[in-house]
mmCIF file of all heavy atoms in Angstrom:
data_model
loop_
_atom_site.group_PDB
_atom_site.id
_atom_site.type_symbol
_atom_site.label_atom_id
_atom_site.label_comp_id
_atom_site.label_asym_id
_atom_site.label_seq_id
_atom_site.Cartn_x
_atom_site.Cartn_y
_atom_site.Cartn_z
ATOM 1 N N ILE A 1 77.276 -45.292 -17.650
ATOM 2 C CA ILE A 1 78.359 -46.031 -18.337
ATOM 3 C C ILE A 1 79.741 -45.751 -17.608
ATOM 4 O O ILE A 1 80.775 -46.210 -18.080
ATOM 5 C CB ILE A 1 78.545 -45.624 -19.835
ATOM 6 C CG1 ILE A 1 78.962 -44.154 -19.942
ATOM 7 C CG2 ILE A 1 77.268 -45.868 -20.488
ATOM 8 C CD1 ILE A 1 79.353 -43.790 -21.380
ATOM 9 N N LYS A 2 79.680 -44.948 -16.530
ATOM 10 C CA LYS A 2 80.919 -44.691 -15.825
ATOM 11 C C LYS A 2 80.931 -45.083 -14.332
ATOM 12 O O LYS A 2 81.732 -44.670 -13.565
ATOM 13 C CB LYS A 2 81.185 -43.140 -15.864
ATOM 14 C CG LYS A 2 81.538 -42.746 -17.267
ATOM 15 C CD LYS A 2 82.938 -43.301 -17.782
ATOM 16 C CE LYS A 2 83.252 -42.812 -19.138
ATOM 17 N NZ LYS A 2 84.533 -43.425 -19.620
ATOM 18 N N GLY A 3 80.009 -45.967 -14.014
ATOM 19 C CA GLY A 3 79.921 -46.443 -12.682
ATOM 20 C C GLY A 3 78.561 -46.585 -12.059
ATOM 21 O O GLY A 3 78.253 -47.291 -11.197
ATOM 22 N N ALA A 4 77.653 -45.678 -12.581
ATOM 23 C CA ALA A 4 76.131 -45.742 -12.216
ATOM 24 C C ALA A 4 75.827 -45.525 -10.751
ATOM 25 O O ALA A 4 74.897 -45.937 -10.245
ATOM 26 C CB ALA A 4 75.580 -47.034 -12.668
ATOM 27 N N ARG A 5 76.769 -44.730 -10.050
ATOM 28 C CA ARG A 5 76.420 -44.358 -8.686
ATOM 29 C C ARG A 5 75.397 -43.270 -8.709
ATOM 30 O O ARG A 5 75.668 -42.187 -9.213
ATOM 31 C CB ARG A 5 77.642 -43.948 -7.894
ATOM 32 C CG ARG A 5 78.635 -45.014 -7.568
ATOM 33 C CD ARG A 5 79.878 -44.450 -6.891
ATOM 34 N NE ARG A 5 80.510 -43.553 -7.747
ATOM 35 C CZ ARG A 5 81.383 -42.594 -7.292
ATOM 36 N NH1 ARG A 5 81.518 -42.383 -5.985
ATOM 37 N NH2 ARG A 5 81.925 -41.701 -8.107
ATOM 38 N N GLN A 6 74.233 -43.498 -8.189
ATOM 39 C CA GLN A 6 73.184 -42.514 -8.133
ATOM 40 C C GLN A 6 72.406 -42.749 -6.831
ATOM 41 O O GLN A 6 71.963 -43.826 -6.581
ATOM 42 C CB GLN A 6 72.227 -42.593 -9.349
ATOM 43 C CG GLN A 6 72.920 -42.329 -10.696
ATOM 44 C CD GLN A 6 72.070 -42.722 -11.850
ATOM 45 O OE1 GLN A 6 70.822 -42.871 -11.748
ATOM 46 N NE2 GLN A 6 72.655 -43.106 -12.982
ATOM 47 N N PHE A 7 72.350 -41.683 -6.029
ATOM 48 C CA PHE A 7 71.654 -41.852 -4.715
ATOM 49 C C PHE A 7 71.166 -40.578 -4.183
ATOM 50 O O PHE A 7 71.665 -39.430 -4.500
ATOM 51 C CB PHE A 7 72.623 -42.531 -3.708
ATOM 52 C CG PHE A 7 73.866 -41.784 -3.485
ATOM 53 C CD1 PHE A 7 73.952 -40.789 -2.538
ATOM 54 C CD2 PHE A 7 75.088 -42.134 -4.078
ATOM 55 C CE1 PHE A 7 75.138 -40.057 -2.269
ATOM 56 C CE2 PHE A 7 76.220 -41.500 -3.822
ATOM 57 C CZ PHE A 7 76.220 -40.449 -2.947
ATOM 58 N N PHE A 8 70.165 -40.672 -3.237
ATOM 59 C CA PHE A 8 69.701 -39.562 -2.447
ATOM 60 C C PHE A 8 70.293 -39.821 -1.066
ATOM 61 O O PHE A 8 70.485 -40.895 -0.647
ATOM 62 C CB PHE A 8 68.173 -39.581 -2.362
ATOM 63 C CG PHE A 8 67.460 -39.167 -3.643
ATOM 64 C CD1 PHE A 8 67.079 -40.177 -4.563
ATOM 65 C CD2 PHE A 8 67.334 -37.773 -4.017
ATOM 66 C CE1 PHE A 8 66.492 -39.741 -5.783
ATOM 67 C CE2 PHE A 8 66.684 -37.495 -5.227
ATOM 68 C CZ PHE A 8 66.255 -38.492 -6.081
ATOM 69 N N SER A 9 70.428 -38.671 -0.351
ATOM 70 C CA SER A 9 70.921 -38.776 1.071
ATOM 71 C C SER A 9 70.086 -37.850 1.896
ATOM 72 O O SER A 9 69.722 -36.750 1.464
ATOM 73 C CB SER A 9 72.373 -38.552 1.144
ATOM 74 O OG SER A 9 72.697 -37.226 0.716
ATOM 75 N N LEU A 10 69.991 -38.221 3.127
ATOM 76 C CA LEU A 10 69.379 -37.360 4.220
ATOM 77 C C LEU A 10 70.333 -37.248 5.394
ATOM 78 O O LEU A 10 71.120 -38.165 5.647
ATOM 79 C CB LEU A 10 68.061 -38.013 4.712
ATOM 80 C CG LEU A 10 66.930 -38.075 3.722
ATOM 81 C CD1 LEU A 10 65.763 -38.838 4.370
ATOM 82 C CD2 LEU A 10 66.472 -36.718 3.286
ATOM 83 N N GLY A 11 70.303 -36.120 5.994
ATOM 84 C CA GLY A 11 71.226 -35.912 7.138
ATOM 85 C C GLY A 11 70.611 -34.920 8.169
ATOM 86 O O GLY A 11 69.684 -34.208 7.966
ATOM 87 N N ALA A 12 71.150 -35.019 9.412
ATOM 88 C CA ALA A 12 70.747 -34.085 10.427
ATOM 89 C C ALA A 12 71.941 -33.841 11.366
ATOM 90 O O ALA A 12 72.829 -34.641 11.434
ATOM 91 C CB ALA A 12 69.630 -34.726 11.250
ATOM 92 N N GLY A 13 71.839 -32.688 11.995
ATOM 93 C CA GLY A 13 72.937 -32.280 12.857
ATOM 94 C C GLY A 13 72.345 -31.726 14.173
ATOM 95 O O GLY A 13 71.360 -30.935 14.132
ATOM 96 N N PHE A 14 73.001 -31.923 15.265
ATOM 97 C CA PHE A 14 72.543 -31.408 16.585
ATOM 98 C C PHE A 14 73.734 -30.894 17.327
ATOM 99 O O PHE A 14 74.774 -31.521 17.426
ATOM 100 C CB PHE A 14 71.825 -32.528 17.399
ATOM 101 C CG PHE A 14 70.833 -33.320 16.644
ATOM 102 C CD1 PHE A 14 71.165 -34.468 15.894
ATOM 103 C CD2 PHE A 14 69.481 -32.907 16.660
ATOM 104 C CE1 PHE A 14 70.285 -35.145 15.221
ATOM 105 C CE2 PHE A 14 68.553 -33.623 15.929
ATOM 106 C CZ PHE A 14 68.923 -34.739 15.217
ATOM 107 N N LYS A 15 73.605 -29.654 17.858
ATOM 108 C CA LYS A 15 74.756 -29.043 18.568
ATOM 109 C C LYS A 15 74.219 -28.625 19.951
ATOM 110 O O LYS A 15 73.208 -27.948 20.078
ATOM 111 C CB LYS A 15 75.253 -27.840 17.759
ATOM 112 C CG LYS A 15 76.465 -27.183 18.399
ATOM 113 C CD LYS A 15 76.960 -26.049 17.589
ATOM 114 C CE LYS A 15 78.192 -25.318 18.253
ATOM 115 N NZ LYS A 15 78.632 -24.092 17.411
ATOM 116 N N TYR A 16 75.083 -28.914 20.912
ATOM 117 C CA TYR A 16 74.889 -28.472 22.361
ATOM 118 C C TYR A 16 76.166 -28.042 22.870
ATOM 119 O O TYR A 16 77.151 -28.780 22.979
ATOM 120 C CB TYR A 16 74.235 -29.588 23.116
ATOM 121 C CG TYR A 16 74.015 -29.165 24.627
ATOM 122 C CD1 TYR A 16 72.976 -28.264 24.928
ATOM 123 C CD2 TYR A 16 74.858 -29.572 25.579
ATOM 124 C CE1 TYR A 16 72.745 -27.850 26.251
ATOM 125 C CE2 TYR A 16 74.687 -29.164 26.927
ATOM 126 C CZ TYR A 16 73.599 -28.368 27.213
ATOM 127 O OH TYR A 16 73.415 -27.916 28.543
ATOM 128 N N ASN A 17 76.247 -26.712 23.210
ATOM 129 C CA ASN A 17 77.483 -26.171 23.738
ATOM 130 C C ASN A 17 78.611 -26.376 22.795
ATOM 131 O O ASN A 17 78.518 -25.921 21.623
ATOM 132 C CB ASN A 17 77.750 -26.737 25.121
ATOM 133 C CG ASN A 17 78.688 -25.862 25.912
ATOM 134 O OD1 ASN A 17 79.167 -24.814 25.355
ATOM 135 N ND2 ASN A 17 78.944 -26.177 27.103
ATOM 136 N N VAL A 18 79.677 -27.142 23.119
ATOM 137 C CA VAL A 18 80.841 -27.316 22.252
ATOM 138 C C VAL A 18 80.755 -28.673 21.410
ATOM 139 O O VAL A 18 81.620 -28.962 20.650
ATOM 140 C CB VAL A 18 82.116 -27.249 23.002
ATOM 141 C CG1 VAL A 18 82.301 -25.899 23.611
ATOM 142 C CG2 VAL A 18 82.213 -28.354 24.008
ATOM 143 N N VAL A 19 79.759 -29.429 21.680
ATOM 144 C CA VAL A 19 79.605 -30.791 21.046
ATOM 145 C C VAL A 19 78.547 -30.711 19.907
ATOM 146 O O VAL A 19 77.476 -30.150 20.066
ATOM 147 C CB VAL A 19 79.199 -31.751 22.152
ATOM 148 C CG1 VAL A 19 79.083 -33.214 21.484
ATOM 149 C CG2 VAL A 19 80.202 -31.780 23.259
ATOM 150 N N LYS A 20 78.932 -31.363 18.815
ATOM 151 C CA LYS A 20 77.981 -31.459 17.683
ATOM 152 C C LYS A 20 77.971 -32.901 17.202
ATOM 153 O O LYS A 20 79.063 -33.574 17.077
ATOM 154 C CB LYS A 20 78.447 -30.581 16.526
ATOM 155 C CG LYS A 20 77.619 -30.555 15.310
ATOM 156 C CD LYS A 20 78.108 -29.681 14.226
ATOM 157 C CE LYS A 20 77.348 -29.742 12.983
ATOM 158 N NZ LYS A 20 77.897 -28.932 11.926
ATOM 159 N N VAL A 21 76.755 -33.420 16.946
ATOM 160 C CA VAL A 21 76.566 -34.714 16.424
ATOM 161 C C VAL A 21 75.901 -34.647 15.072
ATOM 162 O O VAL A 21 74.892 -33.966 14.872
ATOM 163 C CB VAL A 21 75.660 -35.622 17.340
ATOM 164 C CG1 VAL A 21 75.484 -36.995 16.803
ATOM 165 C CG2 VAL A 21 76.345 -35.789 18.688
ATOM 166 N N ASP A 22 76.473 -35.308 14.077
ATOM 167 C CA ASP A 22 75.845 -35.413 12.720
ATOM 168 C C ASP A 22 75.656 -36.867 12.408
ATOM 169 O O ASP A 22 76.335 -37.781 12.638
ATOM 170 C CB ASP A 22 76.840 -34.777 11.632
ATOM 171 C CG ASP A 22 76.953 -33.267 11.853
ATOM 172 O OD1 ASP A 22 76.013 -32.543 11.653
ATOM 173 O OD2 ASP A 22 78.091 -32.820 12.227
ATOM 174 N N VAL A 23 74.484 -37.064 11.669
ATOM 175 C CA VAL A 23 74.146 -38.377 11.143
ATOM 176 C C VAL A 23 73.652 -38.265 9.642
ATOM 177 O O VAL A 23 73.128 -37.174 9.313
ATOM 178 C CB VAL A 23 73.057 -39.090 12.006
ATOM 179 C CG1 VAL A 23 73.566 -39.289 13.411
ATOM 180 C CG2 VAL A 23 71.806 -38.169 12.026
ATOM 181 N N SER A 24 73.761 -39.373 8.940
ATOM 182 C CA SER A 24 73.284 -39.317 7.593
ATOM 183 C C SER A 24 72.785 -40.688 7.159
ATOM 184 O O SER A 24 73.228 -41.688 7.744
ATOM 185 C CB SER A 24 74.380 -38.811 6.596
ATOM 186 O OG SER A 24 75.423 -39.752 6.493
ATOM 187 N N TYR A 25 72.013 -40.737 6.076
ATOM 188 C CA TYR A 25 71.413 -41.970 5.595
ATOM 189 C C TYR A 25 71.354 -41.923 4.071
ATOM 190 O O TYR A 25 71.010 -40.914 3.511
ATOM 191 C CB TYR A 25 70.061 -42.228 6.169
ATOM 192 C CG TYR A 25 69.547 -43.626 6.021
ATOM 193 C CD1 TYR A 25 69.970 -44.674 6.847
ATOM 194 C CD2 TYR A 25 68.686 -43.984 4.995
ATOM 195 C CE1 TYR A 25 69.532 -45.937 6.760
ATOM 196 C CE2 TYR A 25 68.157 -45.275 4.887
ATOM 197 C CZ TYR A 25 68.613 -46.233 5.767
ATOM 198 O OH TYR A 25 68.107 -47.545 5.594
ATOM 199 N N LEU A 26 71.690 -43.028 3.391
ATOM 200 C CA LEU A 26 71.753 -43.015 1.891
ATOM 201 C C LEU A 26 70.706 -43.995 1.345
ATOM 202 O O LEU A 26 70.514 -45.082 1.807
ATOM 203 C CB LEU A 26 73.164 -43.489 1.490
ATOM 204 C CG LEU A 26 73.521 -43.520 0.018
ATOM 205 C CD1 LEU A 26 74.975 -43.193 -0.201
ATOM 206 C CD2 LEU A 26 73.192 -44.858 -0.636
ATOM 207 N N PHE A 27 70.022 -43.513 0.183
ATOM 208 C CA PHE A 27 69.063 -44.297 -0.493
ATOM 209 C C PHE A 27 69.566 -44.374 -1.938
ATOM 210 O O PHE A 27 69.747 -43.362 -2.619
ATOM 211 C CB PHE A 27 67.689 -43.576 -0.532
ATOM 212 C CG PHE A 27 67.110 -43.346 0.841
ATOM 213 C CD1 PHE A 27 67.427 -42.209 1.519
ATOM 214 C CD2 PHE A 27 66.286 -44.310 1.488
ATOM 215 C CE1 PHE A 27 66.810 -41.866 2.770
ATOM 216 C CE2 PHE A 27 65.776 -44.031 2.704
ATOM 217 C CZ PHE A 27 66.019 -42.868 3.372
ATOM 218 N N SER A 28 69.777 -45.554 -2.470
ATOM 219 C CA SER A 28 70.240 -45.780 -3.823
ATOM 220 C C SER A 28 69.132 -45.427 -4.779
ATOM 221 O O SER A 28 68.016 -45.769 -4.607
ATOM 222 C CB SER A 28 70.846 -47.169 -4.045
ATOM 223 O OG SER A 28 71.304 -47.353 -5.423
ATOM 224 N N ALA A 29 69.471 -44.767 -5.867
ATOM 225 C CA ALA A 29 68.534 -44.432 -6.947
ATOM 226 C C ALA A 29 68.993 -45.121 -8.271
ATOM 227 O O ALA A 29 68.594 -44.774 -9.362
ATOM 228 C CB ALA A 29 68.456 -42.936 -7.181
ATOM 229 N N SER A 30 69.912 -46.122 -8.142
ATOM 230 C CA SER A 30 70.450 -46.785 -9.358
ATOM 231 C C SER A 30 70.134 -48.248 -9.196
ATOM 232 O O SER A 30 69.901 -48.861 -8.154
ATOM 233 C CB SER A 30 71.938 -46.598 -9.391
ATOM 234 O OG SER A 30 72.549 -47.373 -10.329
ATOM 235 N N LYS A 31 70.153 -49.007 -10.415
ATOM 236 C CA LYS A 31 70.015 -50.396 -10.385
ATOM 237 C C LYS A 31 71.243 -51.088 -9.823
ATOM 238 O O LYS A 31 71.207 -52.220 -9.390
ATOM 239 C CB LYS A 31 69.768 -50.874 -11.805
ATOM 240 C CG LYS A 31 68.429 -50.412 -12.401
ATOM 241 C CD LYS A 31 68.242 -50.890 -13.758
ATOM 242 C CE LYS A 31 66.876 -50.451 -14.337
ATOM 243 N NZ LYS A 31 66.680 -50.936 -15.805
ATOM 244 N N VAL A 32 72.399 -50.433 -9.861
ATOM 245 C CA VAL A 32 73.586 -50.957 -9.243
ATOM 246 C C VAL A 32 73.570 -50.658 -7.757
ATOM 247 O O VAL A 32 73.445 -49.531 -7.296
ATOM 248 C CB VAL A 32 74.809 -50.280 -9.949
ATOM 249 C CG1 VAL A 32 76.093 -50.881 -9.265
ATOM 250 C CG2 VAL A 32 74.934 -50.593 -11.392
ATOM 251 N N LYS A 33 73.753 -51.668 -6.953
ATOM 252 C CA LYS A 33 73.676 -51.552 -5.471
ATOM 253 C C LYS A 33 74.844 -50.753 -4.996
ATOM 254 O O LYS A 33 75.968 -51.017 -5.303
ATOM 255 C CB LYS A 33 73.611 -52.946 -4.888
ATOM 256 C CG LYS A 33 73.326 -52.870 -3.408
ATOM 257 C CD LYS A 33 73.095 -54.299 -2.839
ATOM 258 C CE LYS A 33 72.683 -54.291 -1.387
ATOM 259 N NZ LYS A 33 71.443 -53.595 -1.172
ATOM 260 N N ASN A 34 74.531 -49.852 -4.139
ATOM 261 C CA ASN A 34 75.551 -48.988 -3.430
ATOM 262 C C ASN A 34 76.064 -49.629 -2.203
ATOM 263 O O ASN A 34 75.292 -50.106 -1.392
ATOM 264 C CB ASN A 34 75.003 -47.585 -3.249
ATOM 265 C CG ASN A 34 76.057 -46.563 -2.823
ATOM 266 O OD1 ASN A 34 76.839 -46.758 -1.879
ATOM 267 N ND2 ASN A 34 76.132 -45.501 -3.602
ATOM 268 N N PRO A 35 77.379 -49.733 -2.016
ATOM 269 C CA PRO A 35 77.937 -50.451 -0.833
ATOM 270 C C PRO A 35 77.551 -49.679 0.468
ATOM 271 O O PRO A 35 77.630 -50.253 1.550
ATOM 272 C CB PRO A 35 79.430 -50.436 -0.986
ATOM 273 C CG PRO A 35 79.679 -49.376 -2.014
ATOM 274 C CD PRO A 35 78.463 -49.308 -2.889
ATOM 275 N N LEU A 36 77.134 -48.402 0.343
ATOM 276 C CA LEU A 36 76.734 -47.640 1.544
ATOM 277 C C LEU A 36 75.241 -47.479 1.602
ATOM 278 O O LEU A 36 74.719 -46.672 2.489
ATOM 279 C CB LEU A 36 77.303 -46.214 1.458
ATOM 280 C CG LEU A 36 78.899 -46.156 1.660
ATOM 281 C CD1 LEU A 36 79.383 -44.782 1.259
ATOM 282 C CD2 LEU A 36 79.239 -46.532 3.058
ATOM 283 N N GLU A 37 74.475 -48.220 0.840
ATOM 284 C CA GLU A 37 73.052 -48.180 0.880
ATOM 285 C C GLU A 37 72.489 -48.650 2.217
ATOM 286 O O GLU A 37 73.081 -49.584 2.840
ATOM 287 C CB GLU A 37 72.448 -49.100 -0.211
ATOM 288 C CG GLU A 37 70.975 -48.969 -0.457
ATOM 289 C CD GLU A 37 70.480 -49.715 -1.623
ATOM 290 O OE1 GLU A 37 71.339 -50.220 -2.448
ATOM 291 O OE2 GLU A 37 69.268 -49.744 -1.894
ATOM 292 N N ASN A 38 71.539 -47.914 2.723
ATOM 293 C CA ASN A 38 70.823 -48.266 4.060
ATOM 294 C C ASN A 38 71.842 -48.240 5.134
ATOM 295 O O ASN A 38 71.762 -48.993 6.098
ATOM 296 C CB ASN A 38 70.146 -49.657 3.957
ATOM 297 C CG ASN A 38 69.147 -49.702 2.861
ATOM 298 O OD1 ASN A 38 68.381 -48.812 2.615
ATOM 299 N ND2 ASN A 38 69.074 -50.869 2.186
ATOM 300 N N THR A 39 72.775 -47.294 5.028
ATOM 301 C CA THR A 39 73.847 -47.201 6.075
ATOM 302 C C THR A 39 73.672 -45.885 6.868
ATOM 303 O O THR A 39 73.484 -44.818 6.244
ATOM 304 C CB THR A 39 75.241 -47.186 5.464
ATOM 305 O OG1 THR A 39 75.468 -48.462 4.822
ATOM 306 C CG2 THR A 39 76.355 -47.027 6.434
ATOM 307 N N LEU A 40 73.720 -45.984 8.206
ATOM 308 C CA LEU A 40 73.671 -44.818 9.008
ATOM 309 C C LEU A 40 75.084 -44.448 9.423
ATOM 310 O O LEU A 40 75.763 -45.207 10.060
ATOM 311 C CB LEU A 40 72.809 -45.104 10.254
ATOM 312 C CG LEU A 40 72.407 -43.887 11.067
ATOM 313 C CD1 LEU A 40 71.562 -42.930 10.323
ATOM 314 C CD2 LEU A 40 71.667 -44.310 12.313
ATOM 315 N N ARG A 41 75.449 -43.188 9.073
ATOM 316 C CA ARG A 41 76.854 -42.768 9.397
ATOM 317 C C ARG A 41 76.853 -41.735 10.513
ATOM 318 O O ARG A 41 75.892 -40.903 10.585
ATOM 319 C CB ARG A 41 77.502 -42.200 8.154
ATOM 320 C CG ARG A 41 77.842 -43.197 7.178
ATOM 321 C CD ARG A 41 78.556 -42.604 5.975
ATOM 322 N NE ARG A 41 77.749 -42.337 4.773
ATOM 323 C CZ ARG A 41 78.134 -42.062 3.596
ATOM 324 N NH1 ARG A 41 79.436 -41.871 3.383
ATOM 325 N NH2 ARG A 41 77.276 -41.875 2.630
ATOM 326 N N PHE A 42 77.851 -41.716 11.296
ATOM 327 C CA PHE A 42 78.001 -40.875 12.511
ATOM 328 C C PHE A 42 79.192 -40.041 12.505
ATOM 329 O O PHE A 42 80.263 -40.503 12.108
ATOM 330 C CB PHE A 42 77.911 -41.672 13.806
ATOM 331 C CG PHE A 42 76.699 -42.519 14.008
ATOM 332 C CD1 PHE A 42 76.676 -43.846 13.384
ATOM 333 C CD2 PHE A 42 75.576 -42.089 14.649
ATOM 334 C CE1 PHE A 42 75.568 -44.658 13.648
ATOM 335 C CE2 PHE A 42 74.435 -42.862 14.731
ATOM 336 C CZ PHE A 42 74.458 -44.161 14.227
ATOM 337 N N SER A 43 79.068 -38.825 12.998
ATOM 338 C CA SER A 43 80.208 -37.910 13.184
ATOM 339 C C SER A 43 80.077 -37.151 14.486
ATOM 340 O O SER A 43 78.974 -36.630 14.773
ATOM 341 C CB SER A 43 80.480 -36.916 12.008
ATOM 342 O OG SER A 43 80.799 -37.589 10.840
ATOM 343 N N LEU A 44 81.133 -37.017 15.175
ATOM 344 C CA LEU A 44 81.140 -36.271 16.466
ATOM 345 C C LEU A 44 82.184 -35.232 16.441
ATOM 346 O O LEU A 44 83.318 -35.423 16.043
ATOM 347 C CB LEU A 44 81.374 -37.211 17.666
ATOM 348 C CG LEU A 44 81.311 -36.703 19.067
ATOM 349 C CD1 LEU A 44 79.845 -36.191 19.307
ATOM 350 C CD2 LEU A 44 81.780 -37.741 20.033
#
């Protein structure tokens, strides 16, 4: 009743020397579609 955002997320990180790469993926667990559903995010 307050927005119904419900989701699971998975992520991984890889580091080599001074560089690190992170990725994540979101799975919606709600009947309301999440705008970030099935989205792969990147961080460096």
Side-chain angles (χ1 to χ4, degrees):
I1 70 168
K2 291 297 179 179
R5 289 178 299 158
Q6 299 167 22
F7 59 83
F8 291 95
S9 61
L10 295 174
F14 310 89
K15 182 179 179 181
Y16 178 75
N17 201 356
V18 298
V19 181
K20 180 182 177 183
V21 178
D22 291 293
V23 295
S24 69
Y25 195 80
L26 184 149
F27 303 89
S28 180
S30 170
K31 294 181 180 179
V32 178
K33 190 172 182 61
N34 192 301
L36 291 168
E37 187 172 355
N38 302 322
T39 297
L40 192 63
R41 289 185 260 192
F42 301 90
S43 293
L44 184 64

